[in-house]
Amino acid sequence: MAEQAEEQAAERAPGRPVTSVDVARLAGVSRATVSHILNHQVQRFTPRTVERVLAAAAELGYVKSAAARALALGHSDIVILVVPDTTLSNLQDVIEAVSAQLQDLGFATVVHFAGPQGAASGTAGLTALVDMLRPAGVLDLGEAVPPEQAERLRASGAVVVAEYGVREAGPMSDGNVLIGRLQAEHLVAQGYRRLAYASLDDGRRDPWGRDRAAGVAALCAELGLDPPAHLEVPLDRAGAREAVRTLVGGDGPALGVACFSDDVAIAVLAGAREVGVEVPGQVGIIGFAGSPVGQLVAPRLTSLAADVDAGVAFISSRLASVYGLEVDGAQRPAAEVFEVVQGGTT
């Protein structure tokens, strides 16, 4: 087959790309057979035929035309991942995890940052991307696509999977609410009966943080505790000190603080030191992400760690179900996705 491939290369005009016709000639099959097999529709063909076509495509260096595939199927193999304007510190981990899962399903990923909510540039940019790429799906990671725009995109034929529309899809339902709840459960188990939620104060809207705060509030309501206070904590010493000072001190009960991220938790720890309160003791602190830097501070940070791959699996699974694709492995129960890394701050 190698000699035949060389002969075909010599016959092709300089610069002309390899086509499915070339693959068909080398494999000794029809062009339709090549099309079916390279599009993974192999049920009607013998293993030998499939092997010959794949070997011929590899020998010739054939690359499928994305434009032709989009024309035939009505969509490309591209998925647009829409990221909200967020303070999430491990955002790259989330994007990489979702992209890897989509790649396993045969999709390529384009990341679109939505910008501040309501920004015309973000909305118009996404619409232009959809028109240009004809994506297989648009995955919204956190209220980054306004509902009215999502409906317009669906009306144009796009498959839109909104994070806030798939929370009921599996054991990771309401994932961010669950994060806040698990943090609160840990603080209560450590004896803290007055709770607060600490978010990052940097001016960005944050749907993930809002939902985590709701998880803390829900547990307080169930246990008959006072509603949790809310701290907006900047990542600077003076700002953190003032944020903590508003809630601690005097003879009040000890305060347990569930934090949006390990970065915020470290800022709360620094603020507590500036105010002169004991951690743990007067203040208990739990972060989120289980980051290595949290284990370098003293006392070591208690944090809720997450298996990011398992945590985002329901998003790619929803798109897979639209196209009848199989996903390797079952979604893991929530109890197996999160784990408290016990440090010295609770």
Side-chain angles (χ1 to χ4, degrees), residues 89-251:
S89 58
N90 64 334
L91 180 59
Q92 181 172 341
D93 295 337
V94 173
I95 292 174
E96 288 179 352
V98 176
S99 297
Q101 292 171 14
L102 291 173
Q103 183 176 351
D104 289 342
L105 293 172
F107 299 111
T109 306
V110 170
V111 179
H112 174 73
F113 290 92
Q117 188 182 41
S121 59
T123 301
L126 177 59
T127 299
L129 266 182
V130 171
D131 290 342
M132 178 175 24
L133 299 179
R134 301 174 70 180
V138 177
L139 299 188
D140 180 357
L141 285 186
E143 301 183 14
V145 182
E148 60 275 11
Q149 185 184 21
E151 289 307 312
R152 286 197 299 270
L153 293 176
R154 290 189 181 102
S156 72
V159 175
V160 181
V161 177
E163 189 273 342
Y164 50 84
V166 296
R167 287 177 173 169
E168 74 284 359
M172 280 303 300
S173 60
D174 285 326
N176 283 294
V177 174
L178 179 60
I179 288 168
R181 181 183 185 88
L182 292 174
Q183 289 178 308
E185 287 179 351
H186 174 77
L187 291 168
V188 170
Q190 299 301 307
Y192 295 95
R193 307 290 293 178
R194 184 168 70 105
L195 302 185
Y197 182 81
S199 60
L200 178 59
D201 179 13
D202 76 345
R204 282 177 288 179
R205 176 181 173 274
D206 194 345
W208 286 315
R210 179 202 62 206
D211 288 348
R212 294 176 192 181
V216 177
L219 184 72
C220 287
E222 289 180 20
L223 298 180
L225 304 178
D226 290 339
H230 191 106
L231 290 78
E232 293 187 351
V233 184
L235 298 183
D236 65 78
R237 186 183 298 273
R241 179 182 63 240
E242 292 308 310
V244 174
R245 192 195 301 276
T246 61
L247 291 178
V248 301
D251 298 325

Side-chain angles (χ1 to χ4, degrees), residues 7-8 29 41 43 56 79 89 106-107 124 141 143 177 198 203 222 244 254 274 278 302 341:
E7 290 175 2
Q8 285 195 24
V29 298
Q41 300 166 355
Q43 296 84 353
V79 171
S89 58
F107 299 111
L141 285 186
E143 301 183 14
V177 174
E222 289 180 20
V244 174
E274 291 283 317
E278 293 182 358
T302 298
V341 178

